[in-house]
């Protein structure tokens, strides 16, 4: 259905509104293209390409130019039906093109609509196949040759419809949807890819879709023309024709090797939905079971392999012709996401492409494949990861190495499944450690309070998992670690960002001689900023997304302590928290999400006297610590994990760093006295101080 969804849903949308100047420029560009073309030889044509025209001057002229510029061996006549539209400039343009022999122009004495216009074109000659082509389409390359090959591949074919961005069951990249967002390549390149990867491939369909339909003359002679009486104003006429053809023993095809761009204008405004509903009622009444056939086609989606072949080729072309890394990771953001982006940039400097693999939409045993420079790839959203088909796919897109960054998206048996999968790929494998998922399904070695759990023995881990189930349920901890041991054992290198991580990982997985400490970045620690005393509150800043293990409760307790002492201390989170309302009620200022490149200016704006890193779990790296150190401000943190080792290293390099025992995380009075000078600067007259709302003091003390 031209712009009609399978159940009568209107799926077309208006093209973006352009100014008169923009529309004029687009029309002028199309006329310039047409001005360079030579006349066609309509008398020797094999196919009539019928384009009904009413309005949309620029789009119509671009459509005609694309048809006449296309390189086809099939001889055709471009038959334009001027349906007495309101744009006198467009009608003059068409007359001029006809005088030059570029088009064969038929002029309606009055506006009779799309169906009558197409029928007049089909009556023009009875010895030729025809193409119904909307005036808001653009064709590419030898599109007509490819459609004709499909149409002539068997004697029982009535219609052939190409793929398009906006054509319900013919739509690409998303099926049965309007795809108006541009891709990373032009639509002409999509057509070239389709011609390459889907050469000669077609699927049978219950109906044609009338934006661009090749119609065989034998079917027209047997079935008749479009029904003007029933569908005079448009919508439903090609569905009716298709079903009459099926009843007469013909088939309708979708050609996977042709792509035609379709702008999809809403020609009838608010009356369109009513027209669609009425048209589909007529189709169903004439052809009982039509809706059921279309819905069955959508459920089965036999066009999926054609779309997937194009998606795979787009993904392959985005990579390197020689080397490409598959980066297996999660879709949860955070430091892992940041490092993966940085790794993609590093790979590019050495000429290696990157394919990102996260958990798929259909379940834990599927994967989503993407590329940082490629727009959506819907056909690769739920790729099964089991069996040889997945290995073959990786071969087709040119993967030559694998980096496993995180398996949180892939379910409780992910490590064992990936160990089996990767072992069969015969590719070099690196594992990059971002947290402690390999050690514990709760990931962060934190207890029910969010504090470091102390890493108990297996019995203690079992008790913890029995009462505090993880996102992976309560798997047997020994089996969990054994499956990760198998995975880690396949790695040519296990990269960890800090020596504290290497030590902890080595404790659980002894004998792994491939662990390499590779910090995520080279940190340049500036000289400490000179101390300043100003008549204002003593300011403490924290950076990041602050949840429980990042010290959210530590900040609330510290804010409550400052309020109780009336000490003139101001706390600010440069970023956000797990509960911004509670944080603000406790007197903590929250600036909101940030971009890393903006943090330096945010720190300067807040102008803190010190930056607190309140993490209470053994961080494996901590990007926010890097941001704090780069500011040159005094930094305070708890002596645990990579925060402890990195702050020691930074202190040796001259940074102003203070490490505190983790016990102070639950002692707000001692933490306050450690962080805040005994005589904090006085508050300047009239300067506001963040304080908790009195009715929420209990939240602040939480």
């Amino acid at each position: 259905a031209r712009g009609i969804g399978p159940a009568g849903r209107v799926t077309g949308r208006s093209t973006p509104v352009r100014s008169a100047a923009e529309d004029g420029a687009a029309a002028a560009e199309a006329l310039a293209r047409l001005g360079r073309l030579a006349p066609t030889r309509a008398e020797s044509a094999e196919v009539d390409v019928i384009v009904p025209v009413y309005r949309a001057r620029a789009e119509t002229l671009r459509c005609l130019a694309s048809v006449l510029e296309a390189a086809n061996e099939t001889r055709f006549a471009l038959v334009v039906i001027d349906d007495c539209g309101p744009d006198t400039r467009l009608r003059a343009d068409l007359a001029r093109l006809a005088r030059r022999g570029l088009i064969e122009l038929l002029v309606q004495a009055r506006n009779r609509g799309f169906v009558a216009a197409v029928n007049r074109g089909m009556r023009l000659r009875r010895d030729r196949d025809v193409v119904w082509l909307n005036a808001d389409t653009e064709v590419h390359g030898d599109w007509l040759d490819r459609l004709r090959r499909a149409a002539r591949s068997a004697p029982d074919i009535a219609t052939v419809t190409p793929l398009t961005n906006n054509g319900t069951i013919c739509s690409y990249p998303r099926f049965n949807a309007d795809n108006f967002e541009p891709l990373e390549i032009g639509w002409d390149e999509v057509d070239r890819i389709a011609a390459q990867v889907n050469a000669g491939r077609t699927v049978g369909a219950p109906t044609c879709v009338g934006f661009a339909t090749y119609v065989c003359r034998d079917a027209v002679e047997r079935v008749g023309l479009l029904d003007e009486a029933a569908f005079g104003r448009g919508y439903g006429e090609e569905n009716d024709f298709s079903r009459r053809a099926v009843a007469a023993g013909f088939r309708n095809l979708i050609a996977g090797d042709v792509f035609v761009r379709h702008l999809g204008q809403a020609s009838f405004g608010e009356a369109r939905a009513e027209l669609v509903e009425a048209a589909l009622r007529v189709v169903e009444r004439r052809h009982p079971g039509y809706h059921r056939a279309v819905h069955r086609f959508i459920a089965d989606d036999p066009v999926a392999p054609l779309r997937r072949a194009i998606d795979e080729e787009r993904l392959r072309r985005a990579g390197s012709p020689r080397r490409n890394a598959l980066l297996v990771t999660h879709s949860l953001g955070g430091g892992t996401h940041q490092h993966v982006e940085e790794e993609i940039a590093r790979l590019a400097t050495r000429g290696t492409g990157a394919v990102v693999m996260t958990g798929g939409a259909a379940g834990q045993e599927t994967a989503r494949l993407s590329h940082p420079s490629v727009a959506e790839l819907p056909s690769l959203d739920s790729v099964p990861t089991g069996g040889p088909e997945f290995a073959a796919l990786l071969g087709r897109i040119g993967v030559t190495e694998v980096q496993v960054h995180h398996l949180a998206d892939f379910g409780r048996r992910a490590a064992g499944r990936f160990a089996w999968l990767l072992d069969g790929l015969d590719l070099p494998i690196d594992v990059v450690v971002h947290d402690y998922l390999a050690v514990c399904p709760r990931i962060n070695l934190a207890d029910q309070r969010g504090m470091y759990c102390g890493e108990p023995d297996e019995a203690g881990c079992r008790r913890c998992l029995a009462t505090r189930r993880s996102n992976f349920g309560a798997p047997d901890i020994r089996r969990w670690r054994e499956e990760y041991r198998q995975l880690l054992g396949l790695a040519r290198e296990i990269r960890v960002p800090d020596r504290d991580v290497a030590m902890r990982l080595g404790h659980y997985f002894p004998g792994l001689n491939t662990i390499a400490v590779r910090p995520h970045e080279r940190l340049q620690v500036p000289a400490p900023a000179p101390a300043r005393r100003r008549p204002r509150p003593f300011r403490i800043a924290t950076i990041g997304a602050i949840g429980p293990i990042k010290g959210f409760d530590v900040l609330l307790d510290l804010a409550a302590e400052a309020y109780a002492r009336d000490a003139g201390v101001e706390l600010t989170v440069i970023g956000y928290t797990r509960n911004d309302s509670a944080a603000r009620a406790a007197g903590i200022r929250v600036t909101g999400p940030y971009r890393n490149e903006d943090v330096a200016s945010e720190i300067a704006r807040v102008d803190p006297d010190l930056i607190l890193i309140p993490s209470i779990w053994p961080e494996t790296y901590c990007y926010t610590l890097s941001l704090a150190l780069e500011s040159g401000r005094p930094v305070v943190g708890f002596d645990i994990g990579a925060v402890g080792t990195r702050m020691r290293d930074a202190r040796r390099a001259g940074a102003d760093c203070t490490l505190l025992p983790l016990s102070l995380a639950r002692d707000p009075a001692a933490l306050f006295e450690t962080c805040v000078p005994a005589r904090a600067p006085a508050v300047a007259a009239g300067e506001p101080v963040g304080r908790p709302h009195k009715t929420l003091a209990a939240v602040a003390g939480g």
Side-chain angles (χ1 to χ4, degrees), residues 407 414-420 429 431 437-440 458 477-492 494 504-515:
L407 298 181
R417 193 168 75 251
F418 271 82
W420 176 85
I429 300 163
V431 175
L437 182 62
V439 173
C440 173
E458 282 188 4
I477 192 64
R478 179 173 293 184
R479 181 174 183 177
W480 179 276
R481 290 170 182 168
E482 180 55 36
E483 291 183 346
Y484 266 97
R485 182 191 300 277
Q486 295 171 14
L487 178 62
L488 294 170
L490 296 174
R492 63 179 177 182
I494 302 168
R504 293 178 197 272
L505 208 62
H507 170 73
Y508 291 96
F509 306 104
L512 294 175
N513 56 9
T514 56
I515 297 178

Side-chain angles (χ1 to χ4, degrees), residues 285-298:
R285 186 167 60 250
R286 288 185 170 190
H287 311 285
Y290 167 73
H291 285 155
R292 186 168 58 251
V294 172
H295 282 291
R296 185 166 57 247
F297 181 87
I298 292 172

Side-chain angles (χ1 to χ4, degrees), residues 538 540 558 562 567-569 571 610 670-681:
F538 186 83
I540 299 174
L558 188 58
V569 173
L571 277 73
L610 69 82
L671 179 60
F672 181 89
E673 290 167 1
T674 303
C675 291
V676 181
R679 300 185 65 180

Side-chain angles (χ1 to χ4, degrees), residues 297-313:
F297 181 87
I298 292 172
D300 295 342
D301 191 9
V303 196
L306 306 180
R307 298 193 307 273
R308 178 166 167 172
I310 300 173
D311 278 354
E312 285 185 16
E313 181 62 13

Side-chain angles (χ1 to χ4, degrees), residues 451-452 498-500 503-504 612-619 625 635-649 651-652 657-665 671:
M451 291 284 289
Y452 173 49
D498 186 81
R499 61 185 181 275
D500 181 84
M503 177 192 69
R504 293 178 197 272
L612 175 64
I613 306 296
S615 290
I616 52 179
W617 74 287
E619 295 255 23
L625 174 58
V635 180
V636 176
F638 297 119
D639 190 3
I640 182 171
V643 170
T645 55
R646 294 187 64 209
M647 284 181 65
R648 283 191 185 86
D649 292 344
R651 191 162 57 196
R652 283 191 286 269
C657 294
T658 301
L659 277 171
L660 306 178
L662 185 59
S663 60
L664 292 190
L671 179 60

Side-chain angles (χ1 to χ4, degrees), residues 19 27 120 146 156 181 213 309 317 350 352 362 372 416 436 461 489 558 675 683 696:
S19 68
R120 183 175 178 187
R146 284 173 273 153
D156 63 342
E181 294 299 323
T213 304
R317 291 188 181 193
R350 71 177 202 219
T352 300
Y436 292 104
C461 290
L558 188 58
C675 291
V683 180
L696 295 175

Side-chain angles (χ1 to χ4, degrees), residues 442 445-454 460 463-465 467-469 548-549 553 578 616 666:
R442 293 194 59 79
L445 306 182
D447 63 15
Q448 67 273 14
R449 302 172 301 165
M451 291 284 289
Y452 173 49
C453 68
R463 285 193 298 272
C464 174
L465 289 171
T467 57
R468 302 175 59 242
R469 298 171 71 87
I549 63 173
D553 291 333
R578 67 171 300 187
I616 52 179
R666 289 301 175 188

Side-chain angles (χ1 to χ4, degrees), residues 14 20 23 30 33 37 42 100 189 192 215 254 287 319 352 386 404 419 463 498 564 574 584 605 654 670 682 699:
S14 298
D23 195 70
R33 289 164 56 191
L37 298 173
R100 293 184 51 220
E189 187 62 22
R192 280 190 284 271
V215 185
I254 296 173
H287 311 285
T352 300
V404 179
R463 285 193 298 272
D498 186 81
I574 300 173
R584 291 187 173 109
R605 186 180 63 80
V699 176

